[in-house]
Amino acid sequence: MNKNKTFGVIGVCGANGNLIARILKQRGYNVIGTDLAFKKDCRFAKALEGYDIDVFYGKTPEAFFKKSDYIIPPASLSKDSELLKSIDKPILELCDIIEMIQPEKPVFGISGTNGKTTSTTLLKKIAYDNGIKPCEHDLEGMQGNAEFIPILQSRLDGDVGILEVGTFGIPGTVGRVVKNTSMTAGLITNITPDHLNDLGSFMDYANVKAEFIKEIGDGTLIVNGQDPTIMGLLRELDFKGEIITFGVDELPDSVAMKECVCGNEIAVKEIISGCGYYFCKCGITTPQVDYIATNVDLKNRTFDLHTPTEKLSVKMAIDGIHNVYNVTGVIIAAHKFLDLPYDKILPSIATFTGVSGRMDEVGTVNGKTIFVDYAHNPAGVETVLKEFKKLFGDFTTVITVSSESGYPGDLDIFNSVLKFSKFIVPASTASQKIATEKLKDNPKLNDRIFFNYVGNFEKTSTLGASEEEVKEGIKKALNLDCEMIIAIGEAATKFKSIVFEI
């Protein structure tokens, strides 16, 4: 493509358009942009700063089309739109840009149900601390695992790509991300039930995650060997690449049933939700893992990690047995993918204080400490609350979740909250309705469940409560006889600033 040609990008205030404009500019092309939003309302205007891209905000003048040799409309624009019909210049679509510009760097993906964001953020920190620059989407407020964001992000400037790969409950999504980023290595944290409303059954969901394994092909996979679903999928798909397994040497504290890839229900002696020690008559059983964490001391945040060649003493700055799993997987990834010696990795682990919204201590009100956590699916909630119980004893949980698995997921989440919490404050509409059912069936729960009303907030994905509902929920929790409060869910993390208002 001639570098003297000018690309006109429509919709630079949207994630895809913004990324496309910056990718083309970084590759030396002339770029101009337009968007119906005014600059003050342009969500991602900051990401365009320093790129020398002329942007027409508020309207698309005739000059934009005159200056452009190629027009790139947003993927959401209908092919039958009057705007597209009126354009007399060659039109390039999102898929054309993806085909035209390749990543040209090593790309590592992190997938799984829980722990993706923490693992991705930590691996990036290790890279930065060692002078390795990961490509960044720089879209403020965006998590970055939506389908086309990681695909486009891999094409931005950087030494490596470290990408979070999610599903959003849509078959084909994970496979397209891996394929279109030329990903050759990755980490799978765990696979537990999620998105069941969209996908129907746990194994349907697991098979969407399996796209990660299929598309990596003969590359390298770092996996939680104590998850029977991951190990079962690797066997069923006859994965031909390198498999590196890890786990934690801890006594299980519960037993749960989990569907095996063969269709049988298997008992898992759980260390964290859905992961631990297992055996199925089809032959899937807990392997002797390649990397094992031992002597875990959650109070002091330390553990020993036995690698194939040596024993490491690991100091963390984050809490919980689930983070021992996350940190172990990342240490392996940094050693294998970033090619770093362990002594260059461990200092970064010791100074990583976590991701905002993950076991995040927000503040103290009237002597009561308030945490928020983004946990929004049954396994995530169970794991976080189990660790909270170990660390802090009694606590009150404010529920702001609306599960992507619908009522069954909401019920599983409520039951976990009921199991581990001293008091429960349902703030989301979904949890309020379940609380009403629970109280009707068991009036004795009146001394543990506290709320004022059943709201009518219309959920958006996992955003299950309004700002006012979160505020009222936390205020209610502050009046209960418990010094620790944890508000769980997307709404709790989104509206956590209300703690300062209170």
Side-chain angles (χ1 to χ4, degrees), residues 116-117 137 143-147 149-150 164-168 173 177:
K116 294 188 298 296
T117 303
H137 60 67
Q143 192 167 324
N145 62 358
E147 181 178 3
I149 293 179
E164 181 177 340
V165 184
T167 68
F168 289 88
T173 303
V177 171

Side-chain angles (χ1 to χ4, degrees), residues 113 167 169-171 191-210 229 233 258-261 263 265 404-406 408-409 412:
T113 307
T167 68
I170 303 171
I191 301 176
T192 55
D194 201 10
H195 293 284
L196 301 189
N197 249 15
D198 307 299
L199 293 164
S201 74
F202 171 57
M203 286 315 302
D204 288 335
Y205 167 72
N207 284 322
V208 171
K209 288 292 187 185
T229 308
L233 289 171
K258 194 175 187 184
E259 185 180 356
C260 181
V261 292
E265 290 284 315
E404 286 175 308
S405 296
D412 285 345

Side-chain angles (χ1 to χ4, degrees), residues 468-482:
E468 185 64 24
E469 285 171 325
V470 175
K471 183 176 182 179
E472 290 303 312
I474 291 176
K475 285 169 70 176
K476 173 69 76 173
L478 287 166
N479 289 322
L480 301 175
D481 184 22
C482 195

Side-chain angles (χ1 to χ4, degrees), residues 110-177:
I110 298 177
S111 192
T113 307
N114 307 107
K116 294 188 298 296
T117 303
T118 296
S119 299
T120 303
T121 307
L122 175 53
L123 186 56
K124 284 184 180 180
K125 179 184 186 298
I126 294 168
Y128 280 120
D129 289 351
N130 287 279
I132 302 168
K133 183 184 181 299
C135 49
E136 298 281 15
H137 60 67
D138 290 326
L139 301 173
E140 193 171 348
M142 291 292 286
Q143 192 167 324
N145 62 358
E147 181 178 3
F148 288 107
I149 293 179
I151 291 173
L152 293 170
Q153 180 181 336
S154 69
R155 286 152 169 80
L156 289 166
D157 284 350
D159 301 317
V160 296
I162 299 174
L163 308 177
E164 181 177 340
V165 184
T167 68
F168 289 88
I170 303 171
T173 303
V174 171
R176 281 192 292 274
V177 171

Side-chain angles (χ1 to χ4, degrees), residues 200-346:
S201 74
F202 171 57
M203 286 315 302
D204 288 335
Y205 167 72
N207 284 322
V208 171
K209 288 292 187 185
E211 296 170 11
F212 193 80
I213 298 170
K214 292 176 186 175
E215 291 297 338
I216 290 286
D218 58 357
T220 300
L221 282 176
I222 301 163
V223 300
N224 180 349
Q226 292 177 329
D227 186 325
T229 308
I230 297 174
M231 299 309 293
L233 289 171
L234 288 167
R235 188 190 72 176
E236 292 296 296
L237 296 170
D238 193 22
F239 181 70
K240 298 296 187 185
E242 181 185 13
I243 300 171
I244 303 170
T245 57
F246 64 90
V248 178
D249 182 20
E250 276 285 287
L251 289 174
D253 57 12
S254 60
V255 178
M257 303 305 293
K258 194 175 187 184
E259 185 180 356
C260 181
V261 292
C262 72
N264 290 316
E265 290 284 315
I266 55 175
V268 181
K269 297 177 181 178
E270 293 183 321
I271 299 172
I272 59 172
S273 184
C275 301
Y277 305 104
Y278 54 88
F279 171 77
C280 182
K281 59 186 179 183
C282 74
I284 292 172
T285 188
T286 313
Q288 183 173 338
V289 295
D290 302 308
Y291 289 73
I292 185 78
T294 66
N295 299 322
V296 177
D297 182 343
L298 293 179
K299 183 178 179 182
N300 292 305
R301 298 169 172 164
T302 61
F303 65 92
D304 293 333
L305 180 60
H306 297 262
T307 79
T309 57
E310 60 187 293
K311 184 180 82 170
L312 309 174
S313 296
V314 183
K315 173 69 175 176
M316 304 191 303
I318 50 180
D319 290 309
I321 194 74
H322 59 299
N323 279 322
V324 175
Y325 279 93
N326 291 334
V327 166
T328 297
V330 169
I331 288 173
I332 302 167
H335 184 60
K336 291 289 185 177
F337 176 70
L338 298 178
D339 198 26
L340 292 170
Y342 295 120
D343 62 359
K344 296 291 186 181
I345 298 168
L346 296 182

Side-chain angles (χ1 to χ4, degrees), residues 427 429 432 453 455-457 464-473:
T429 302
Q432 289 165 359
Y453 60 95
N456 58 3
F457 179 78
S466 67
E467 183 173 7
E468 185 64 24
E469 285 171 325
V470 175
K471 183 176 182 179
E472 290 303 312

